[in-house]
Amino acid sequence: MTLALPSSRDEAWRWADLSALPALAEATPRGGVIDTHDLWIGCGGPRLFFLDGMLDPALSDQGGLAIGTVEGESDHPLGRLATGAGWTLTLGTDQSLPHTIEIVHVATGGANHVPARISLAAGAQASIVETHVGDGWSNRRTRIDLARGARLMRSVRLRQASGFTSLRDEAVVADGASLVTIQLALGGAGTRLDAAIDLAGEGAFAEHGGALLARGGQRHDVAAVVRHAAPGGSSRQLWRAVADDHATASLAARVEVARDAQKSDGEQSLRGLLLQRNATINLKPELEIFADDVKCAHGATVGELDRAALFYLASRGIPPVPARALLTRAFVADALDRIGEDQVREAFARDADSWLERAA
């Protein structure tokens, strides 16, 4: 089967590098025994372990999660490939899970595609953390439906050593519901992180952001669209990108405000930090507003470490390498601070610290 991929001539894919995907799609996963000791955070809730896109029941504890065919289609070029068997979370009215759900995806070469669906009824609450490791092409599509007053916290860390990870989120957020998604991309794989979030209800809230850490020849690419379709909605897109060596990190964040979506509040903050002059960071904030009573703002900056701050730390006896790591850590910290669970936030911070210490 021929793999139909979008071209860089398409504006939405101008910075994406999908050249490795055809070979990865033809490769065969190695499989084998997986060392899982550092993959689980240990939140105490249900857990799913996927090896090359297939659930391993022996390493999983499904809890209230259903496994099987996930209904629904997507017109996204990569998201539509994620069909068939996946996982589903469905919570009834005012239902909540006492512990965070953990999902681990391990790839051993080749390509794997897994769909997911999250459906929370009115007042329901859930928290999910996902971890990607290994090598190969891991492709995911997640459909999210939040009813009135529902709340979902998602934290995703991309730690694949090589290959490619592509995520597509498609969300509808109803009246007063809240969706927060924080992503941390590090490891050595290339990434494409897509999101289409529809604030369909009055007073709906969405936050979509995170940190991209790139080194070597690595490429991270984000394309996120938040659409305000009803009055009184709020959205926040806060991203931090750090590029070392000759790596590239690209961020395209868009806010759309429909004509009837008065009193909307949309905020974008895109910031990039170059650790080497050969690295590249592309930022593209966009606002498309058809309502006349809104509060929307965006900011985009790219720079290097502050020489004055480095000098100040040196004057206080801090050597250059720890000083660079300290300043870079502060730069990405606000992108991870929105993770609601202390244990999850600390695990993400440790991963970021490990990457930053090597970069310094």
Side-chain angles (χ1 to χ4, degrees), residues 104-266:
V104 168
H105 305 270
V106 177
T108 65
N112 61 87
H113 308 276
V114 177
R117 186 177 185 93
I118 302 168
S119 181
L120 305 187
Q125 299 185 41
S127 175
I128 300 172
V129 57
E130 296 187 57
T131 299
H132 290 260
V133 299
D135 61 276
W137 177 18
S138 296
N139 184 45
R140 302 290 181 267
R141 174 172 58 87
T142 305
R143 169 70 184 188
I144 301 170
D145 291 287
L146 303 183
R148 179 188 295 270
R151 302 177 65 85
L152 176 64
M153 174 82 229
R154 292 178 67 230
S155 307
V156 184
R157 55 179 178 170
L158 309 179
R159 292 170 42 187
Q160 277 198 199
S162 62
F164 197 82
T165 307
S166 51
L167 308 181
R168 170 65 172 176
D169 293 346
E170 299 172 352
V172 177
V173 185
D175 297 3
S178 172
L179 170 63
V180 177
T181 300
I182 307 298
Q183 298 170 323
L184 172 63
L186 64 173
T191 64
R192 169 73 180 196
L193 311 179
D194 268 282
I197 301 170
D198 189 2
L199 300 182
E202 186 170 354
F205 173 80
E207 178 165 350
H208 186 265
L212 310 177
L213 310 179
R215 63 159 50 98
Q218 191 174 18
R219 298 176 70 98
H220 291 313
D221 183 24
V222 171
V225 178
V226 178
R227 183 174 186 270
H228 291 251
S234 301
S235 66
R236 187 174 188 230
Q237 296 180 77
L238 188 152
W239 286 95
R240 299 292 180 260
V242 180
D244 199 2
D245 304 320
H246 53 282
T248 300
S250 302
L251 288 163
R254 182 179 179 88
V255 172
E256 300 176 355
V257 182
R259 192 174 304 279
D260 295 331
Q262 305 292 343
K263 305 294 183 181
S264 292
D265 184 349

Side-chain angles (χ1 to χ4, degrees), residues 63-120:
L65 300 168
I67 303 298
T69 300
V70 177
E71 301 295 336
E73 298 180 351
S74 173
D75 59 2
H76 186 266
L78 301 183
R80 66 189 178 200
L81 300 176
T83 60
W87 61 272
T88 302
L89 171 65
T90 303
L91 295 181
T93 301
D94 294 328
Q95 185 178 0
S96 63
L97 298 178
H99 301 290
T100 297
I101 298 167
E102 287 194 69
I103 302 175
V104 168
H105 305 270
V106 177
T108 65
N112 61 87
H113 308 276
V114 177
R117 186 177 185 93
I118 302 168
S119 181
L120 305 187

